[in-house]
């Protein structure tokens, strides 16, 4: 006799019935209740018939698989549990208090890092339309210490950024773009943090400046090569960095010196080119931004 095996998956909703015994008092003791029974089975949300496994599946399908609620409801229906997308949407606010402690712990963990990354992008929130807003909000992102924290805010101000970066330790480095809210945030924090502006954004400025400008092609390529050299020197420096020791090796010190010298030369070139340009020259904008962000 020969045997073979196949691995299959079968998922089906089921109804779990929990029977709780009830005892009736057989004495005349007034201090005891007439009847007692075991308490009902705990539920994640009161006044709902759905168990924790259902809600965990909803979270997985919605936020891990990124399926819209209508498709999540259709999937549940295929498994024998028809739930309308409206019911699922109404349940979303119930999850917020459950995840607030986790969100706070992530942020506290990030605050221990000496290096943080920050960014923000537009985000649509339909609920804001009923509060006199256009529905446009901002998705703020904080990355650090191996964790990511998101925050949606109707504002793109420094006060909104402070909700993620307002409790940083002194000398923390924030890698960010040149948006003014981060500069104001640094002032609100008393100048105790260091803003490290993103080189990718600076590189993009030179590309956009030379777009459709044939005469600036060579000038743009020269600046892209200067920035690429900075990237290569930094990679060489990091290859020699040992986080486990306080005093780095001579090889690291040499790589650090080479990077610092290249940066000094790059900014000196920017200042020299900027000084020789007419006031409204097209090349002035990226060069001026580079010089203003130096240091």
């Amino acid at each position: 006799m020969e045997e073979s095996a196949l691995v299959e998956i079968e998922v089906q909703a089921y109804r779990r019935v929990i029977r709780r015994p009830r005892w009736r008092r057989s004495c005349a003791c007034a201090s005891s209740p007439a009847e007692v029974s075991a308490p009902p089975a705990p539920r994640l949300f009161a006044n709902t018939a759905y168990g924790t496994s259902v809600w965990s599946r909803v979270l997985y399908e919605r936020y891990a698989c990124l399926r819209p609620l209508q498709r999540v409801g259709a999937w549940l229906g295929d498994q024998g549990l028809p739930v309308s997308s409206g019911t699922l949407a109404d349940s979303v606010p119930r999850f917020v208090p459950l995840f607030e402690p986790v969100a706070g712990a992530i942020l506290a963990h990030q605050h221990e890092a000496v290096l943080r990354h920050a960014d923000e992008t537009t985000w649509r929130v339909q609920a804001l339309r009923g509060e006199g807003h256009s529905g446009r909000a901002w998705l703020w992102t904080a990355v650090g210490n191996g964790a990511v924290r998101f925050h949606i805010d109707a504002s793109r101000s420094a006060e909104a950024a402070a909700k993620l970066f307002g409790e940083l330790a002194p000398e923390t480095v924030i890698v960010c773009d040149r948006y003014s809210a981060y500069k104001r945030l640094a002032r609100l924090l008393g100048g105790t943090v260091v803003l490290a502006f993103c080189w990718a954004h600076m590189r993009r400025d030179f590309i956009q400046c030379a777009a459709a400008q044939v005469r600036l092609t060579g000038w743009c390529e020269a600046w892209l090569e200067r920035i690429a050299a900075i990237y290569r020197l930094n990679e060489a420096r990091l290859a020699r960095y040992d986080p486990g020791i306080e005093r780095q090796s001579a090889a690291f010190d040499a790589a650090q010196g080479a990077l610092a010298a290249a940066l000094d030369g790059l900014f000196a070139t920017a200042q020299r080119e900027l000084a020789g340009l007419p006031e409204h020259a097209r090349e002035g904008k990226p060069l001026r931004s580079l010089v203003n962000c130096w240091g």
Side-chain angles (χ1 to χ4, degrees):
M1 181 176 62
E2 296 183 358
E3 293 184 358
S4 61
L6 290 175
V7 178
E8 305 282 1
I9 295 178
E10 182 177 356
V11 180
Q12 188 70 29
Y14 65 93
R15 183 170 179 264
R16 182 160 63 101
V17 178
I18 302 173
R19 293 182 172 85
R20 296 177 288 130
R22 177 181 296 178
W23 291 274
R24 183 181 296 275
R25 188 182 66 196
S26 59
C27 65
C29 301
S31 60
S32 302
E35 292 183 345
V36 294
S37 62
R43 301 169 187 260
L44 189 62
F45 301 129
N47 302 321
T48 65
Y50 305 119
T52 304
S53 61
V54 174
W55 295 119
S56 61
R57 174 57 65 171
V58 169
L59 289 175
Y60 175 78
E61 294 292 329
R62 179 66 184 92
Y63 298 104
C65 299
L66 304 179
R67 293 190 175 96
L69 289 176
Q70 185 175 3
R71 289 180 59 190
V72 174
W75 184 88
L76 290 173
D78 291 341
Q79 314 310 315
L81 181 59
V83 183
S84 69
S85 56
T87 299
L88 296 177
D90 290 341
S91 70
V92 172
R94 298 182 178 185
F95 287 106
V96 175
L98 300 179
F99 285 96
E100 283 179 344
V102 178
I106 291 174
L107 199 55
H109 178 69
Q110 286 190 336
H111 286 335
E112 298 174 357
V114 297
L115 176 65
R116 300 282 295 278
H117 294 261
D119 200 8
E120 81 293 331
T121 187
T122 55
W123 201 259
R124 293 289 175 179
V125 179
Q126 295 300 323
L128 291 178
R129 293 182 179 273
E131 301 177 9
H133 295 276
S134 64
R136 185 179 72 170
W138 300 92
L139 176 66
W140 292 85
T141 307
V143 181
N145 219 7
V148 181
R149 175 75 157 80
F150 297 101
H151 170 68
I152 297 176
D153 203 293
S155 171
R156 200 188 178 194
S157 65
E159 287 73 18
K163 296 176 182 178
L164 290 179
F165 304 99
E167 299 180 13
L168 299 182
E171 303 304 321
T172 299
V173 177
I174 303 178
V175 179
C176 58
D177 57 26
R178 293 155 293 173
Y179 178 48
S180 59
Y182 297 113
K183 301 174 184 177
R184 184 167 183 270
L185 173 66
R187 293 194 296 271
L188 291 176
L189 296 177
T192 60
V193 300
V194 178
L195 298 183
F197 298 120
C198 175
W199 277 100
H201 286 78
M202 182 58 65
R203 183 180 184 277
R204 186 174 61 190
D205 285 353
F206 286 97
I207 294 174
Q208 292 176 342
C209 177
Q213 303 290 322
V214 177
R215 69 176 183 84
L216 295 180
T217 299
W219 172 83
C220 176
E221 290 177 349
W223 272 104
L224 294 184
E225 176 54 33
R226 292 186 185 103
I227 296 174
I230 296 298
Y231 275 76
R232 290 192 293 268
L233 288 170
N234 187 54
E235 289 176 356
R237 179 183 71 101
L238 293 177
R240 294 162 174 79
Y241 177 70
D242 186 351
I245 60 177
E246 182 176 352
R247 180 72 177 92
Q248 297 297 316
S249 65
F252 174 84
D253 292 340
Q256 175 72 30
L259 176 60
L263 286 170
D264 289 340
L266 182 144
F267 286 114
T269 301
Q271 288 178 316
R272 185 169 58 253
E273 288 191 7
L274 190 60
L277 288 174
E279 182 179 356
H280 299 293
R282 186 179 180 90
E283 306 96 299
K285 184 176 180 180
L287 291 172
R288 195 172 295 111
S289 179
L290 178 60
V291 170
N292 290 339
C293 294
W294 185 15

